[in-house]
Amino acid sequence: MTGQPAAPRQHRPSDTAAGWQGSAFRAVLVSLLLIGALLGISRLQGPMVRLHGTPLTAERAPDFSGLLDTQGRRFSWQAERGRAVLVFFGYTHCPDVCPLTLSALRQSLDRMGSLRRNVRVIFVSLDPVRDTPAVLHAYLDAFIPDAVGLRGPLKDVAQSARQWGISWRRVNTTHGDYWIDHTAAVTLVGPRGHLRARYGYGQLADPAWLAADLHAILSRP
């Protein structure tokens, strides 16, 4: 006896609807999981802040190994936790860029209001022979009294400059004197000790720009 071929299975409307609803549910679930993951990452990283300076990779700021402040103390990033830190390499005999940069920083800091106490300026001397602790202290006191001046042996200064991306060289004059050609840039370190942005002198021309950047990173939750 020859059997009858089986009739093709008919999909009922209810089967189709159930399959569609299951797929839609899975899609919604996956979307919610992705959104949750993205929100979690963004909370870990913190909200994005658009700065006037040139953005830097958020790496931990280098230490100042071998350098001491004008009181003979080592600098500690842990002690600056919660502060925005502005780092500048220069020297007290600098005829133009250094005093102009420090003046620009002071103008920005004057706009900080109550947040001013949460900003630290670090000035690293590229000329430790002439920049004795007394000379460096008096120089910074004329611009930003609470700035920290760091100095040390030339080999340690050179190593620190490399770590911070600062190029410099001594240029001898015909009169037996010398001046220092160096990168004139201010580096902003965030309250958690990570690099945030770099400012050339042109980016410091308007004191409101840096003040706005400092407010932005200090006001983050």
Side-chain angles (χ1 to χ4, degrees):
M1 238 181 113
T2 304
Q4 295 294 325
R9 184 174 182 271
Q10 299 294 321
H11 292 281
R12 293 174 299 175
S14 58
D15 292 337
T16 303
W20 179 86
Q21 290 172 354
S23 299
F25 175 77
R26 286 191 294 272
V28 171
L29 181 60
V30 170
S31 298
L32 290 174
L33 290 174
L34 287 174
I35 292 172
L38 291 173
L39 287 175
I41 293 173
S42 66
R43 286 175 180 172
L44 289 175
Q45 293 179 340
M48 295 295 292
V49 177
R50 295 182 64 86
L51 303 176
H52 294 85
T54 303
L56 297 175
T57 302
E59 300 174 350
R60 188 164 296 279
D63 291 324
F64 298 101
S65 300
L67 305 184
L68 302 176
D69 67 15
T70 55
Q71 305 301 315
R73 300 168 299 198
R74 295 187 182 278
F75 178 82
S76 168
W77 280 113
Q78 187 61 35
E80 301 302 326
R81 188 80 171 180
R83 289 192 181 97
V85 179
L86 299 166
V87 179
F88 181 69
F89 285 71
Y91 66 114
T92 65
H93 285 68
C94 179
D96 42 35
V97 172
C98 297
L100 289 173
T101 297
L102 290 173
S103 295
L105 294 182
R106 183 182 61 196
Q107 293 179 55
S108 293
L109 295 178
D110 287 344
R111 294 170 172 259
M112 292 302 298
S114 62
L115 288 177
R116 168 64 182 88
R117 64 180 180 272
N118 295 331
V119 182
R120 180 80 73 198
V121 174
I122 305 296
F123 183 95
V124 184
S125 173
L126 296 169
D127 187 16
V129 174
R130 293 184 295 190
D131 291 348
T132 64
V135 169
L136 186 55
H137 178 79
Y139 180 78
L140 293 176
D141 194 55
F143 292 97
I144 305 171
D146 63 342
V148 174
L150 296 179
R151 60 181 302 280
L154 276 175
K155 64 178 181 64
D156 294 322
V157 171
Q159 177 182 351
S160 187
R162 284 194 299 271
Q163 291 175 330
W164 285 86
I166 302 299
S167 300
W168 64 290
R169 64 188 179 95
R170 171 172 165 162
V171 181
N172 295 317
T173 68
T174 56
H175 303 291
D177 200 357
Y178 65 89
W179 55 281
I180 296 176
D181 180 25
H182 65 95
T183 303
V186 174
T187 303
L188 170 60
V189 180
R192 297 181 181 179
H194 293 85
L195 303 177
R196 296 303 308 273
R198 204 175 212 200
Y199 301 81
Y201 182 72
Q203 293 164 303
L204 299 173
D206 186 341
W209 292 351
L210 177 58
D213 289 0
L214 293 171
H215 272 286
I217 69 168
L218 289 171
S219 300
R220 291 175 58 189

